Amino acid sequence: MINWKLISKILGSLLFIEAFFMALCLVMTLVYDETDMPIFITSTAVTAAGAFIFRYGGFDAENSLSRRDAYVVVTLTWLVFSLFGMIPFLLQGTSLTDAFFETMSGFTTTGATVIDDVESLSHGLLFWRSLMQWIGGLGIVFFTVAVLPSLVGGSVKVFAAEATGPMRSKMHPRLSTSAKWIWSIYLLLTVACGVSFWACGMDWFDATNYSMTTTATGGFSTHNGSVFLASPTIEYLSILFQFLAGINFTMLYVSFFKLRFGTLVRNSEFKFYVVTICAATLWIMYLLITRMDYDIEPALRSSLFQVVSFVTTTGLSNTDAGMWPHVTWVILGALMFVGACAGSTTGGFKSIRVLMLLRVLRNEFRHILHPNAILPVRIGGQNVPQGRLVTLLAFFTLYILMLLFTAVIMVLSGIDITNALTIALSLISNVGAGLDTNIGPQMSWADLSVGLKWLCSFLMLVGRLEIIAVLVLFTRSFWQKN
């Protein structure tokens, strides 16, 4: 049976945290003396009231989560957070569909926006958009494990339900301690990014917002255009922090806090991640120089920025990639699929899974020559259990099926095949940017129909929780009694 009381208790505690973050946006409206103060007063009050109701529903709950409870609480948390998180947009006059789409895009760090004129928003709403992405960067429930470890008796199961990637690594016997260290690294990266942007000429508000959306690899902007065009130095800094946010945070902890730098350098996934970025950058750089007459430095900066932005699923841009040669679309589309490292703030299929698939393919070719050989799949010097390979195949199959299903619906809705595929891949990978000139890295998604926007919202959630964690709730066996 599902422990609904404990789930209600967890949701109530999380909503108190969301109300606190909304109150921070209220402070922002006071700083800038804007007229939307009632929006955040009301939003904070409603969210806090919802928190009390959920907490009351979880009175005397037993602090013990089963694996089923973990999957339910993770999915419901993201839905409930989005439902309450959209209240400021509703009070500002945004439609229900657009408000939910924008909020889900924020929390899942997708970065697709249906707001045509971002600069017309108040500082409070702009800050809330960035804060949503920062909260969702490492996972909402994972944040609870860090700050409220005593609340969740089955925190390991919750972590498994929300964490990204096929491999699980532990830094500390107590997961709450690991979560605190990871969030400390996340906070440190965010502060360092913001200070760097400010030191290079950004005003403090833009520096704060872009630091949150960059380290969360979300991509929400405070401007209609791309502010990174104003300064090559800021663009290079953005590349650096996007790259760092794409590394497994466990590896960052071991390398920089435990001073074991060789662990990162020897890591197979990290090496694959770096090689992918270098190869794609050099390829696109060559195309820009030979086909579009770019000079060397602008070609390097533009190609590197786009490559890192797409492989980390950030979706920020320093140029309109839709105007580049079509072959670059294929490269960037492949990067959206591959993604960065597991255990980071990024989306996508994840480099570790691609690496595992390549090792499986290599072994199959070897089996043709040596049919009796036993060839285990090895990652980082360790054998990958057969069960994980089966899970990998299932995930890959679901990923492709969801991609094709979404693309077909988009085509039936009147969207051309190029945009249909790139939009579908962008949503499932939580990138938020298309590659054509109709829905591009610097443009809005507002032209999609109401039905498609709800489908997109669902796909963003499924992509963020890596498909299986959500779809398992739609199976009959999940709800059957043992």
Side-chain angles (χ1 to χ4, degrees):
M1 294 294 292
I2 304 298
N3 190 347
W4 291 110
K5 277 195 169 185
L6 180 56
I7 291 173
S8 180
K9 178 182 177 181
I10 293 172
L11 291 175
S13 298
L14 285 167
L15 284 177
F16 277 123
I17 296 174
E18 186 173 20
F20 168 76
F21 283 120
M22 284 184 177
L24 294 181
C25 299
L26 177 61
V27 173
M28 197 63 64
T29 64
L30 292 173
V31 171
Y32 284 93
D33 193 24
E34 293 176 323
T35 58
D36 62 341
M37 188 186 306
I39 289 178
F40 285 102
I41 291 177
T42 304
S43 300
T44 303
V46 171
T47 304
F52 276 112
I53 293 173
F54 277 106
R55 284 286 292 181
Y56 181 78
F59 183 72
D60 286 339
E62 181 183 351
N63 276 17
S64 179
L65 277 179
S66 67
R67 184 171 296 276
R68 292 185 184 187
D69 297 334
Y71 283 107
V72 172
V73 77
V74 166
T75 302
L76 281 182
T77 294
W78 287 80
L79 286 173
V80 170
F81 248 62
S82 297
L83 288 172
F84 281 90
M86 71 178 181
I87 294 175
F89 296 105
L90 290 174
L91 296 178
Q92 185 257 349
T94 306
S95 68
L96 174 65
T97 298
D98 286 352
F100 187 79
F101 181 101
E102 194 77 10
T103 307
M104 183 61 74
S105 179
F107 281 124
T108 59
T109 70
T110 304
T113 181
V114 291
I115 299 176
D116 288 321
D117 186 9
V118 172
E119 294 179 7
S120 66
L121 298 178
S122 67
H123 288 81
L125 280 171
L126 288 174
F127 188 70
W128 177 234
R129 290 171 81 244
S130 302
L131 201 53
M132 285 191 301
Q133 292 202 323
W134 192 77
I135 296 168
L138 283 181
I140 298 170
V141 182
F142 189 66
F143 179 78
T144 309
V145 175
V147 299
L148 301 172
S150 62
L151 178 66
V152 185
S155 56
V156 174
K157 299 183 183 71
V158 172
F159 173 69
E162 188 179 50
T164 61
M167 310 293 283
R168 303 285 184 260
S169 55
K170 295 184 67 175
M171 298 178 301
H172 192 277
R174 293 185 60 188
L175 181 60
S176 60
T177 302
S178 299
K180 290 173 183 176
W181 278 113
I182 289 175
W183 268 96
S184 298
I185 295 170
Y186 189 43
L187 180 61
L188 181 63
L189 279 179
T190 305
V191 172
C193 183
V195 172
S196 300
F197 285 166
W198 175 77
C200 291
M202 267 194 189
D203 66 72
W204 74 270
F205 181 79
D206 280 343
T208 301
N209 282 269
Y210 276 103
S211 67
M212 289 191 290
T213 59
T214 296
T215 53
T217 60
F220 270 161
S221 173
T222 57
H223 297 269
N224 294 331
S226 181
V227 72
F228 295 101
L229 290 172
S231 170
T233 304
I234 291 178
E235 290 181 34
Y236 280 119
L237 283 171
S238 177
I239 291 170
L240 171 63
F241 284 102
Q242 288 177 70
F243 172 78
L244 291 175
I247 301 173
N248 187 312
F249 274 62
T250 301
M251 291 293 102
L252 287 178
Y253 166 79
V254 172
S255 298
F256 294 100
F257 281 81
K258 292 194 172 182
L259 302 179
R260 285 154 45 184
F261 300 104
T263 302
L264 183 63
V265 176
R266 292 189 300 269
N267 182 265
S268 300
E269 184 182 26
F270 176 73
K271 288 189 287 187
F272 182 84
Y273 173 53
V274 172
V275 169
T276 300
I277 290 174
C278 292
T281 300
L282 290 174
W283 192 357
I284 294 178
M285 182 181 174
Y286 169 77
L287 293 171
L288 294 182
I289 293 173
T290 57
R291 298 192 185 185
M292 300 192 70
D293 298 324
Y294 272 59
D295 291 331
I296 293 178
E297 192 281 327
L300 172 64
R301 176 161 39 91
S302 297
S303 58
L304 183 59
F305 192 104
Q306 293 298 121
V307 165
V308 174
S309 179
F310 274 74
V311 79
T312 60
T313 67
T314 306
L316 287 171
S317 179
N318 65 343
T319 187
D320 186 1
M323 303 303 294
W324 286 359
H326 288 193
V327 68
T328 62
W329 300 6
V330 178
I331 300 170
L332 294 176
L335 293 172
M336 280 200 294
F337 171 79
V338 171
C341 300
S344 65
T345 61
T346 62
F349 191 71
K350 297 295 185 298
S351 294
I352 186 67
R353 288 194 177 99
V354 176
L355 187 59
M356 289 168 67
L357 283 176
L358 292 176
R359 297 282 170 85
V360 171
L361 288 174
R362 183 190 64 183
N363 282 357
E364 286 304 308
F365 283 118
R366 289 180 175 177
H367 267 296
I368 295 175
L369 299 175
H370 308 283
N372 296 322
I374 299 176
L375 301 173
V377 176
R378 297 177 65 84
I379 300 291
Q382 297 182 347
N383 292 341
V384 179
Q386 189 65 29
R388 295 202 185 264
L389 296 179
V390 173
T391 303
L392 171 66
L393 178 60
F395 181 80
F396 178 72
T397 303
L398 281 173
Y399 202 97
I400 298 300
L401 289 176
M402 290 290 293
L403 177 63
L404 295 177
F405 173 76
T406 305
V408 168
I409 291 180
M410 294 285 177
V411 171
L412 293 176
S413 301
I415 298 175
D416 65 272
I417 184 64
T418 302
N419 262 329
L421 286 171
T422 54
I423 291 171
L425 182 57
S426 179
L427 291 170
I428 295 174
S429 299
N430 297 126
V431 180
L435 296 177
D436 204 346
T437 53
N438 293 325
I439 299 181
Q442 301 179 29
M443 303 183 70
S444 171
W445 294 56
D447 293 336
L448 295 177
S449 66
V450 171
L452 287 181
K453 288 176 183 176
W454 284 104
L455 173 62
C456 291
S457 299
F458 175 74
L459 288 171
M460 287 187 278
L461 175 63
V462 168
R464 175 59 182 81
L465 296 181
E466 298 205 325
I467 303 178
I468 294 177
V470 178
L471 296 188
V472 71
L473 301 183
F474 294 91
T475 62
R476 180 183 299 179
S477 59
F478 182 87
W479 301 99
Q480 289 178 342
K481 296 181 181 179
N482 293 331

